[in-house]
Amino acid sequence: MPSTWTRWITAAHGMDDAVWARHANPWSIWTRLPIMPLGVVALMLREELGMLLWPILAALVVWTIVNPRAFPPPLTFERWDSRAVLGEKLWVERDRTPIPAEVAA
């Protein structure tokens, strides 16, 4: 059963089937990866950045929210990275749609 945190994150992003499909676009996946490292570097350099830290963090939060909707659905879901996002969707929705036994094994 998903945790309260997982439910909150999914609800906050408004992830319906159309958004999940767009989220599975490889461009969405690979442009999402630098979000965490950039946030960590910005926090590590907070004294050097001063007040510039806050717009940087705000931009990273905005990109985190916009990214799943910024790209069209992929032409195919055969790529491993697109399929990984579909696996994430299955995992998040496992209380509403049980994972089939042949997939879970």
Side-chain angles (χ1 to χ4, degrees), residues 39-92:
V40 169
V41 168
L43 290 171
M44 288 174 58
L45 297 174
R46 65 186 175 276
E47 290 183 12
E48 291 84 353
L49 291 172
M51 291 305 290
L52 189 57
L53 171 68
W54 299 108
I56 292 170
L57 292 179
L60 291 173
V61 168
V62 167
W63 182 241
T64 300
I65 295 167
V66 169
N67 179 283
R69 295 163 179 81
F71 302 96
L75 298 175
T76 178
F77 290 97
E78 294 302 314
R79 290 176 50 118
W80 69 268
D81 44 8
S82 296
R83 292 173 60 188
V85 170
L86 296 179
E88 177 186 1
K89 180 182 185 293
L90 277 174
W91 182 78
V92 167

Side-chain angles (χ1 to χ4, degrees), residues 10-22:
T10 305
H13 282 274
M15 300 292 285
D16 59 13
D17 287 341
V19 175
W20 276 108
R22 296 169 72 96

